[in-house]
Every structure is written in C-alpha cells, then in structure tokens.
Amino acid sequence: MGYFSYLYYYNWSYLIFMLPIIIFTLIVQGTMNSTFKKYSAIRNSRNLTGAQAAERVLMQNGVTGVRIEHVSGNFTDHFDPRTNVIRLSDPVYNSNSIAAVGVACHEAGHAVQHAEGYLPNKIRSAILPVANIGSKLSWVFIILGLVTSALQPLLYVGIVLFSAAVLFTVATLPVEFNASSRALKCIKQTGMLSDSEYTGAKRTLQAAAMTYVASAATAVAQLLRLLMIANRRN
C-alpha cells in the first residue's frame, strides 16, 4: 500500500470507528457532570454524609476492618483493596448531598465485593497486571510496526498487548454495575434516603456507570480499528 493510500485509509477508519465513540463519550461525560451537579446541590433528609453512608453499607453487610478516608479532588473516589481503604473525594466525604450518599455507597459496595471474594472482581484483578503492561507498551510496538513493513510483526505484538487492556475495561463493567446494585439495595433496605432521594442516587450511579461503558466502547472500537489496519497492510 502506498503512503498516501495508507494515510487515507487510516483517517477513514478513524472516522468510522472512533468519531461516533468520541461523540458518545462527550454526551456521557456531560450527562454525568450535570447529574452529579444537580444531586450534589440537594441535601438528603437524613443529613447523612458520604462517610457515614459508606459506614452503614459496611455494617449492613458485616464487613469490618475497612477504613474510610478523605482524598482531595473531584471524582477521585475509590476503594483500594491493597490497603482495605475507601477514599472519598471533597464533594462526597463530608457532604450530605444525595449524590454523595450514592457515590459513597457505591465505593463501599466495592469493599463488600472484596470481602466476599466476588468472582468478577477476582477476574478483573487477575487481568490488571497484564493490562498495565499492555497499556504502557502496546503503542510502542504498534507504532514501530506501522512505520515500516520490515517491523510489521511488531504491530501484531502491540495488538495482543492492547487486547489485554481492552479485556480489562470490559471486565470492569460487571464489577461496577454490581457495586452500584449493592449500594442501591442497601440504601433502600436501611432507609438511608427517601423514595425521591433514592431516585436521585440511582440516576447519579447510572450516569457514572455509563462512563465505564463509554470507556469500554472506546477501547473495543480502537482494537477493531487496529485489526482492520493490520489486515489492510497484509
């Protein structure tokens, strides 16, 4: 394939595979930001903070030995299984908003998954080391493989490595959806929020979940594009 022909095909494949995903991701991010902003401005009637809500989820599920700490920033909430710590961000830890309760309960849901040995979570953890290597090295091999036909075998090495990172993003989906399901179930069972507030927490977590869907869709589309480019070069 000539250089200009290849360049044309490369750009065409980008439009076909990536542009729709980019548009979808922008919509998802906008929805997430607006939903979180809306329910972060509404105080819950129980006056629970995010930290207190996370504690209730842990107690409801009989999980002990998990610390709840504050972490700076926005959307930096996470559960660290290595240290058994739930870290909640500025808008969540001490906030008594509906969104704060939803997000905090979601992160506590991850702690419950870890304590119970939730299988999809174990699978994702097993993939993580390979995925980290793939995400760091794959594009080095891919670019080298695209530069010249003499190095083309490296393109396939890069695609295999990139596939590990894609697999991780896909494996993340059931883990995130399950954490939200656990959170909402506990919120309802314990009466942490009223019915209308529960709806707000649910919408917040649904909007957040879609960001993981967008991430997985982006990774899969990029992988399909790379496979098409490799096939075209052959």
Side-chain angles (χ1 to χ4, degrees), residues 149-168:
S149 58
L151 298 175
Q152 187 166 334
L154 294 180
L155 172 60
Y156 299 102
V157 174
I159 289 175
V160 171
L161 290 172
F162 185 73
S163 297
V166 174
L167 182 61
F168 178 79

Side-chain angles (χ1 to χ4, degrees), residues 31-45 47-50 73-77 89-104 193 196-197 199-205 207-208:
T31 302
M32 170 59 195
N33 290 334
S34 62
T35 303
F36 186 81
K37 182 178 180 180
K38 175 181 179 180
Y39 291 106
S40 288
I42 304 175
R43 181 177 64 86
N44 69 78
S45 57
N47 205 34
L48 282 172
T49 65
N74 295 317
F75 302 117
T76 51
D77 311 271
S89 63
D90 294 328
V92 174
Y93 185 81
N94 276 323
S95 172
N96 56 11
S97 71
I98 293 173
V101 170
V103 172
L193 300 176
S196 60
E197 293 168 350
T199 299
K202 183 176 182 180
R203 288 175 179 171
T204 300
L205 293 182

Side-chain angles (χ1 to χ4, degrees), residues 1 13 20-21 54 59 80 107 138 157 161 166 185 196 233:
M1 187 193 309
S13 67
I21 298 298
M59 290 176 59
D80 186 347
E107 298 306 333
S138 60
V157 174
L161 290 172
V166 174
K185 181 180 179 180
S196 60
R233 283 179 68 96

Side-chain angles (χ1 to χ4, degrees), residues 95-233:
S95 172
N96 56 11
S97 71
I98 293 173
V101 170
V103 172
C105 289
H106 172 89
E107 298 306 333
H110 283 307
V112 176
Q113 288 175 337
H114 180 68
E116 293 182 354
Y118 180 58
L119 181 58
N121 196 39
K122 286 184 174 181
I123 294 172
R124 185 182 70 161
S125 298
I127 298 170
L128 180 59
V130 182
N132 283 337
I133 295 172
S135 63
K136 292 175 182 177
L137 296 180
S138 60
W139 286 103
V140 175
F141 288 98
I142 289 169
I143 292 172
L144 289 174
L146 290 173
V147 168
T148 175
S149 58
L151 298 175
Q152 187 166 334
L154 294 180
L155 172 60
Y156 299 102
V157 174
I159 289 175
V160 171
L161 290 172
F162 185 73
S163 297
V166 174
L167 182 61
F168 178 79
T169 63
V170 174
T172 294
L173 294 179
V175 176
E176 294 298 330
F177 284 127
N178 179 263
S180 290
S181 177
R182 290 171 185 265
L184 293 171
K185 181 180 179 180
C186 190
I187 289 172
K188 179 154 284 190
Q189 288 179 341
T190 60
M192 273 190 263
L193 300 176
S194 66
D195 288 343
S196 60
E197 293 168 350
Y198 171 87
T199 299
K202 183 176 182 180
R203 288 175 179 171
T204 300
L205 293 182
Q206 286 175 336
M210 288 305 295
T211 62
Y212 291 98
V213 173
S215 178
T218 300
V220 171
Q222 187 69 280
L223 176 60
L224 291 174
R225 177 170 172 256
L226 288 170
L227 289 171
M228 277 191 65
I229 291 172
N231 183 64
R232 180 73 173 182
R233 283 179 68 96

